[in-house]
Amino acid sequence: MRIGCSGPVLASYWRSCARPFPSRPAPALRGTVPSMESAGGPGPGPGPVVLFHGDEEIIEVVELGPPGPDELAAEMQDVDVAEAEAEFEDAVAAEGLEDEAWDTEEEEEEVGGARHGGPPAPDDSEVTFARHSASVFCVSLDPRTNTLAVTGGEDDQAFVWRLSDGELLFECSGHKDSVTCAGFSHDSVFVATGDMSGLIKVWRVDTKAEVWSFEVGDLEWMEWHPQAHVLLAGTADGNSWMWKIPGGDCKTFQGPGCPATCGKVLPDGQDGHQGPLTCVASSKDGSLVLTGSVDCQAKLVNAATGKVVCVFQEGSAALLPPAGGAEEPESNSVESLGFCNVMPLAAVGYLDGTLAIYDLSTQSLRHKCQHESGIVQLLWEESAAVVYTCSLDGAVRLWDARSGKLLSEYRGHGAEILDFALNKDASVVVTTSGDHQAKVFCVQRPDR
């Protein structure tokens, strides 16, 4: 059957709509339906032609003219609002989408309120590097000029870029897993990147060329020697590795049977490595080592003798290690720690958001500074008693270690900060975040 139509008319509901169209067209039915004009309808003449096949036929022709007030009122009387709402809620509950939909909307408003017409999220940064397509796990600055940064992320990518304008210099390609370790050699000649699968690559910065690569077990940490082109790394099987770069001469240190989760090269060039801890730091002269653990303890160790001098716990300090058979450790943990270079102070950052400043001369707690959420990392200024922290709430904070007061706070990320780096004169902070971005913050201090 064929119909020619013009004007506001809808032809609907043919019987064969519930079955698929045939693979080849069936013969059309004989006969036609006159145009609307010939049937007495409006319009100047025949309009578009619709072709039907098989047993298709017109059931109803509905006028689409604008409804009058009486028609709208009659339609509204036929609608049961309560029943319609109940049916909608049942459908949402059946799909399990109600909580998810509301949570997603709230998260979008928190992270990017400007997209919904709300006030934009504050951003104190000067430069944003947005080449990564997933969370950015690590960042390091070149020690010679402090003008370049290397970042690695969950997208299996690492990039070397310029701090001043965020311009990409080159991509460290070829990784097979999340890039969790990245750093420049002491003279900024080389940059090394390592992924979780254990693939380590070294690139020459001036030529942007890969000069060496090696594959170990699951990578836990990686660090350059402070005075030579020597790269060290630790793996989940407990072993530590050392290579001369770019020659590749290798030496392996057998582990104690537990993962080598962190490592530190002391200033005199000796390798200081502990067991499966969360973090480790050394004093400027290398005489003291501070280690942090998931048992919520930070241990101060004499580097020459290996003796534990003091055990710090959140809110207290013990001169002797806790005896065996003590109570179960708290769910808190030490996430980062470090020594002050100008005063006998040490800082310890905890997962519960506590920053503890300890006086090493008296081995006692000096200040406790509370954050809104867990501390990810802390860094001391090179020539001042000021400690920088980054946390899971996406903020960078500066604390005066002498008074325990908050000096300033910087925001700009839409997710947690996962790593950060500080340049030599403490004027620039570079952060990486779960929002797929790295940001450059210019630090302003009242005493400068």
Side-chain angles (χ1 to χ4, degrees), residues 188-205:
S188 302
V189 172
F190 299 108
V191 61
T193 56
D195 64 35
M196 291 183 65
S197 71
L199 179 60
I200 300 174
K201 291 176 172 287
V202 176
W203 314 75
R204 191 172 179 93
V205 176

Side-chain angles (χ1 to χ4, degrees), residues 241-283:
W241 300 73
M242 182 171 69
W243 303 275
K244 288 183 179 180
I245 304 298
D249 296 344
C250 178
K251 186 175 182 179
T252 306
F253 304 93
Q254 192 70 30
C258 57
T261 54
C262 56
K264 183 69 176 179
V265 181
L266 300 182
D268 61 1
Q270 296 180 1
D271 180 47
H273 173 70
Q274 298 295 323
L277 309 177
T278 56
C279 47
V280 60
S282 68
S283 59

Side-chain angles (χ1 to χ4, degrees), residues 123 125-132 134-139 149-152 159 161 163 166 412-413 419 429-441:
D123 189 352
S125 65
E126 301 292 332
V127 176
T128 297
F129 181 79
R131 286 272 187 161
H132 289 278
S135 297
V136 189
F137 290 144
C138 57
V139 61
V150 57
T151 53
F159 300 103
W161 49 281
L163 292 181
H413 285 291
D419 194 14
V429 174
V430 185
T431 58
T432 63
S433 169
D435 64 3
H436 309 176
Q437 295 179 340
K439 288 182 176 290
V440 180
F441 296 87

Side-chain angles (χ1 to χ4, degrees), residues 66-154:
D70 295 338
E71 294 174 342
L72 289 176
E75 291 179 1
M76 291 302 296
Q77 289 176 357
D78 294 336
V79 177
D80 189 336
V81 178
E83 181 180 351
E85 290 181 349
E87 292 178 355
F88 174 76
E89 291 175 358
D90 292 342
V92 170
E95 294 292 337
L97 299 176
E98 184 172 8
D99 293 338
E100 180 180 347
W102 285 109
D103 291 344
T104 301
E105 182 177 344
E106 291 174 358
E107 291 173 1
E108 289 181 354
E109 288 178 356
E110 291 177 1
V111 176
R115 289 179 296 181
H116 300 277
D123 189 352
D124 304 315
S125 65
E126 301 292 332
V127 176
T128 297
F129 181 79
R131 286 272 187 161
H132 289 278
S133 59
S135 297
V136 189
F137 290 144
C138 57
V139 61
S140 180
L141 304 185
D142 81 285
R144 187 172 63 87
T145 66
N146 278 189
T147 61
L148 304 179
V150 57
T151 53
E154 190 181 9

Side-chain angles (χ1 to χ4, degrees), residues 11 25 33 82 88 108 146 171 194 196 206 227 252 298-300 331-332 340 351 370-371 374 377 385 390 393 415 445:
V33 174
F88 174 76
E108 289 181 354
N146 278 189
E171 177 183 347
M196 291 183 65
D206 57 356
Q227 301 173 0
T252 306
K299 294 186 178 182
L300 186 65
S331 58
N332 200 7
C340 177
L351 184 59
Q370 198 62 42
H371 293 64
Q377 189 180 353
C390 67
D393 61 1
R445 286 243 315 274

Side-chain angles (χ1 to χ4, degrees), residues 88-418:
F88 174 76
E89 291 175 358
D90 292 342
V92 170
E95 294 292 337
L97 299 176
E98 184 172 8
D99 293 338
E100 180 180 347
W102 285 109
D103 291 344
T104 301
E105 182 177 344
E106 291 174 358
E107 291 173 1
E108 289 181 354
E109 288 178 356
E110 291 177 1
V111 176
R115 289 179 296 181
H116 300 277
D123 189 352
D124 304 315
S125 65
E126 301 292 332
V127 176
T128 297
F129 181 79
R131 286 272 187 161
H132 289 278
S133 59
S135 297
V136 189
F137 290 144
C138 57
V139 61
S140 180
L141 304 185
D142 81 285
R144 187 172 63 87
T145 66
N146 278 189
T147 61
L148 304 179
V150 57
T151 53
E154 190 181 9
D155 54 3
D156 306 349
Q157 300 287 337
F159 300 103
V160 176
W161 49 281
R162 195 162 54 202
L163 292 181
S164 60
D165 55 7
E167 181 181 348
L168 176 67
L169 296 186
F170 63 93
E171 177 183 347
C172 304
S173 59
H175 283 287
K176 303 181 293 183
D177 206 339
S178 300
V179 179
T180 55
C181 301
F184 292 89
S185 61
H186 70 285
D187 54 3
S188 302
V189 172
F190 299 108
V191 61
T193 56
D195 64 35
M196 291 183 65
S197 71
L199 179 60
I200 300 174
K201 291 176 172 287
V202 176
W203 314 75
R204 191 172 179 93
V205 176
D206 57 356
T207 63
K208 307 176 184 179
E210 180 181 336
V211 296
W212 178 84
S213 66
F214 196 88
E215 194 161 1
V216 295
D218 293 346
L219 186 64
E220 294 285 344
W221 61 270
M222 183 185 72
E223 184 169 325
W224 283 97
H225 191 283
Q227 301 173 0
H229 291 158
V230 173
L231 187 64
L232 298 100
T235 54
D237 58 10
N239 293 329
S240 296
W241 300 73
M242 182 171 69
W243 303 275
K244 288 183 179 180
I245 304 298
D249 296 344
C250 178
K251 186 175 182 179
T252 306
F253 304 93
Q254 192 70 30
C258 57
T261 54
C262 56
K264 183 69 176 179
V265 181
L266 300 182
D268 61 1
Q270 296 180 1
D271 180 47
H273 173 70
Q274 298 295 323
L277 309 177
T278 56
C279 47
V280 60
S282 68
S283 59
K284 189 174 183 179
D285 61 3
S287 61
L288 295 174
V289 173
L290 194 59
T291 59
S293 173
V294 294
D295 61 6
C296 200
Q297 295 181 348
K299 294 186 178 182
L300 186 65
V301 181
N302 185 311
T305 64
K307 180 181 178 180
V308 176
V309 178
C310 179
V311 178
F312 297 109
Q313 282 189 303
E314 186 179 345
S316 65
L319 295 181
L320 294 176
E327 296 181 0
E328 294 184 3
E330 303 175 13
S331 58
N332 200 7
S333 65
V334 176
E335 297 298 310
S336 186
L337 38 72
F339 291 91
C340 177
N341 289 335
V342 297
M343 294 181 67
L345 302 174
V348 180
Y350 295 89
L351 184 59
D352 68 354
T354 300
L355 171 66
I357 308 295
Y358 294 102
D359 191 323
L360 297 180
S361 58
T362 62
Q363 297 176 343
S364 61
L365 178 67
R366 182 162 179 167
H367 299 293
K368 182 185 287 188
C369 311
Q370 198 62 42
H371 293 64
E372 297 177 7
S373 58
I375 296 174
V376 176
Q377 189 180 353
L378 65 84
L379 294 171
W380 284 92
E381 273 198 21
E382 185 71 23
S383 57
V386 176
V387 61
Y388 294 60
T389 60
C390 67
S391 54
L392 295 175
D393 61 1
V396 176
R397 295 178 175 87
L398 281 66
W399 303 86
D400 186 339
R402 297 166 297 182
S403 64
K405 293 183 179 180
L406 177 65
L407 296 177
S408 55
E409 177 179 301
Y410 298 89
R411 292 183 178 270
H413 285 291
E416 69 279 0
I417 294 178
L418 301 177

Side-chain angles (χ1 to χ4, degrees), residues 22-53:
S23 58
R24 59 180 181 274
L29 295 179
R30 287 187 293 246
T32 62
V33 174
S35 68
M36 294 304 297
E37 182 178 8
S38 62
V49 174
V50 180
L51 186 64
F52 293 90
H53 301 281

